Amino acid sequence: MKRTTARSAADRNASSIVDQLPALPQMVRYYDDFDEKQRSIRDFQEVSSFVVYVDGRAITVGLDHLSVPHALLIKHVFVNLLAQGRAPTTAVKYVLGSKAIGDAGLSEISTLAPVQAGVFWSVFFSRELPTEAYACAKSILQLLCKHRLGGWSESYFELISALPLPFKDKYAVVRSGRAFVSVNEEASIVRFLDEAAAESGSGRLSLKEAQEAAMLLCAYQFGMRPVQIAFLSLRDLKIRDNPGESFTSAYITFRMVKQRASSTTKPLVRRVKSEWTSLFVQIENQLRTDNAGGPDRLFGIHSAYGATRQISALLRTRLKLEATAVNLRHTAAQRLVDAGASHDELAEFLGHSDSTTALVYYETSANQAERVNSALGISEIYQRVARIAHDRFISAEELALLKDSQQIGGAPHGVAIAGIGGCTSGQPACPYNPILSCYGCPKFMPIQSLPMHLKVLGDLREVARFFHESSRGDAVSPVYLQLERTIAEVQAVVVEIEGEPS
């Protein structure tokens, strides 16, 4: 009986507030910037649940957990958030935060006087509710201010803004290092993209496989968010022939997202690494053949969730990596900072309108000496490198019995290297650079000779030192990245043979 009486009192309080508010609209409109269309929520006054489209997904917002008066109050909050220019996704999060507050809590908040705000918030904050719940509570108070109810007015907006929200370190995984993929994992991603591009160029890749590889490329090379990847359409891709050159260039244009103000958004243009352009050439050709138009999705993905899921599945099933598109974005940012990028250059790369947003990457960046050691494969990180992929070790006798086409030799960067091992398919059948691409390849059969691999390691370290001393050691340069990756993979073979780092 007491509970029923308390609930009735809470409902009366909510009804008293709702009765003083303007009538809810029968139809609520908002702009779906992912599908680029106006959306409508019909019969908004009567429905107990409604659907909002966010980043290509339909999210159902149910208010059945609340009494009718409190559900109406929360609907007013939703409408007011949209009127403030808040993104639909933010409005949805705040409204769903009402579930953790409950009817009794909503009644307390809606009948709160400004002079009680500080004391109330101290007690309310100690309940350790989700952040969305506290954001919902502040949104209710802002609604009261807007309509001058219960003693509230616009002069209290500053007071409401000062009410604390739970602290959440968004970059905790960056500071701990858990957000990044390792150099060996990067090597496997680059190798996968190299192979996918080669197969695409020779017509051996299906459209779906090319689209999956291109999505991974966007996350790895450009640090794009899943929503940016999913949003790409055919009109965002430009393939250009280069007069007098034997290669084509691919450019993609994507939009900035998650900006504090819509006026700060601008299109971002990126050029695909030339070795991987064939993936986008194939995608465009096949979509055009299928009569696809400019607005059609480039990768056949219709939500950010879909892009996230496909990239993670590709990494897990094809590369055996437990990583996500977000991990690749963090890694791309850190790679740029470690190469010496300025705050403005990093902000432009990540699509941030505020150059101070990503300062955390500078906090976690290795110093100059560590960067050089990493490139040379002699830092502690590289000394603990995991075993890389290769077929099996072979003896000098077995190497001598292999066909000439299977015996590996080459002169990367002018350094003659031979006798490091064999290839199960043979060098003529391989489209990649000998030596630099052999270490880490699953078809590579390294010779069981520690002195041989130590000599290769020493030779490549000299090349790396030359690049660095001549200011050509740009960590985002494909040539330097390949050299750094190869040194790490040679180091891994040495570790495997010797049992200890060199």
Side-chain angles (χ1 to χ4, degrees), residues 41-97:
I41 305 172
R42 300 180 182 277
D43 303 318
F44 191 67
Q45 290 181 355
E46 292 80 21
V47 295
S48 59
S49 65
F50 52 92
V51 174
V52 178
Y53 290 87
V54 175
D55 293 340
R57 295 182 70 192
I59 299 177
T60 299
V61 180
L63 300 175
D64 293 332
H65 58 281
L66 300 175
S67 65
V68 173
H70 288 108
L72 289 172
L73 176 63
I74 293 303
K75 285 183 182 180
H76 276 284
V77 168
F78 180 77
V79 172
N80 190 48
L81 286 167
L82 293 182
Q84 291 175 355
R86 298 296 188 113
T89 180
T90 301
V92 167
K93 286 180 182 178
Y94 289 6
V95 164
L96 292 178

Side-chain angles (χ1 to χ4, degrees), residues 163-483:
L163 296 175
L165 293 174
F167 173 75
K168 182 179 180 181
D169 186 355
K170 296 187 297 182
Y171 295 104
V173 292
V174 175
R175 291 189 174 91
S176 67
R178 299 193 308 273
F180 309 117
V181 298
S182 69
V183 66
N184 271 355
E185 291 170 335
E186 281 197 74
S188 65
I189 292 170
V190 171
R191 189 177 296 279
F192 172 81
L193 292 174
D194 285 344
E195 292 174 354
E199 291 180 5
S200 175
S202 60
R204 291 179 288 138
L205 213 61
S206 70
L207 174 60
K208 185 175 186 301
E209 290 171 329
Q211 288 172 322
E212 288 179 345
M215 283 196 292
L216 177 61
L217 184 157
C218 289
Y220 175 74
Q221 185 182 354
F222 306 130
M224 291 172 63
R225 302 179 192 271
V227 64
Q228 293 171 318
I229 295 171
F231 187 75
L232 287 175
S233 62
L234 189 55
R235 67 184 169 213
D236 298 320
L237 172 64
K238 295 289 182 287
I239 305 294
R240 296 178 183 170
D241 293 322
N242 298 295
E245 301 288 349
S246 60
F247 64 91
T248 57
S249 299
Y251 297 85
I252 58 173
T253 303
F254 58 98
R255 60 176 186 171
M256 299 168 70
V257 296
K258 297 183 72 174
Q259 302 303 308
R260 295 188 178 113
S262 58
S263 60
T264 61
T265 62
K266 63 179 181 179
L268 303 171
V269 181
R270 298 288 184 266
R271 180 178 177 176
V272 177
K273 182 182 172 185
S274 58
E275 293 89 337
W276 298 338
T277 299
S278 58
L279 292 168
F280 288 90
V281 172
Q282 177 187 349
I283 292 170
E284 184 190 55
N285 289 341
Q286 290 194 236
L287 290 180
R288 296 292 185 195
T289 301
D290 295 340
N291 297 316
D296 289 322
R297 297 299 182 203
L298 190 62
F299 302 131
I301 297 296
H302 299 283
S303 71
Y305 174 74
T308 298
R309 187 174 58 184
Q310 286 217 18
I311 292 171
S312 295
L314 178 64
L315 289 168
R316 184 174 59 255
T317 58
R318 297 292 300 277
L319 286 84
K320 310 302 179 188
L321 302 181
E322 292 300 326
T324 67
V326 175
N327 294 135
L328 299 184
R329 178 175 170 82
H330 286 310
T331 303
Q334 194 65 60
R335 190 168 60 235
L336 201 64
V337 170
D338 288 345
S342 67
H343 294 175
D344 290 338
E345 289 170 333
L346 179 63
E348 198 279 333
F349 174 79
L350 292 174
H352 290 169
S353 57
D354 184 353
S355 62
T356 64
T357 303
L359 292 180
V360 64
Y361 296 107
Y362 292 90
E363 297 172 14
T364 57
S365 179
N367 59 30
Q368 180 68 10
E370 176 61 20
R371 286 201 297 272
V372 175
N373 285 344
S374 295
L376 299 180
I378 56 178
S379 70
E380 289 186 13
I381 297 171
Y382 287 79
Q383 290 177 351
R384 293 183 175 85
V385 72
R387 174 176 176 170
I388 61 170
H390 60 73
D391 186 270
R392 64 186 177 89
F393 283 106
I394 58 174
S395 66
E397 291 76 16
E398 289 175 299
L399 177 62
L401 292 175
L402 291 178
K403 298 177 183 177
D404 289 345
S405 62
Q406 290 184 290
Q407 297 187 28
I408 296 170
H413 301 290
V415 180
I417 297 175
I420 63 170
C423 175
T424 56
S425 15
Q427 276 193 218
C430 180
Y432 305 118
N433 192 340
I435 311 299
L436 293 181
S437 298
C438 294
Y439 284 94
C441 177
K443 297 178 182 178
F444 178 46
M445 298 180 291
I447 189 172
Q448 185 87 34
S449 170
L450 184 61
M452 172 60 71
H453 299 296
L454 285 174
K455 183 178 185 307
V456 173
L457 189 62
D459 289 342
L460 293 182
R461 281 175 174 169
E462 286 304 313
V463 176
R465 286 192 181 94
F466 168 75
F467 267 73
H468 179 74
E469 290 167 5
S470 61
S471 299
R472 294 167 62 193
D474 179 1
V476 295
S477 158
V479 175
Y480 194 70
L481 277 173
Q482 185 182 44
L483 183 59

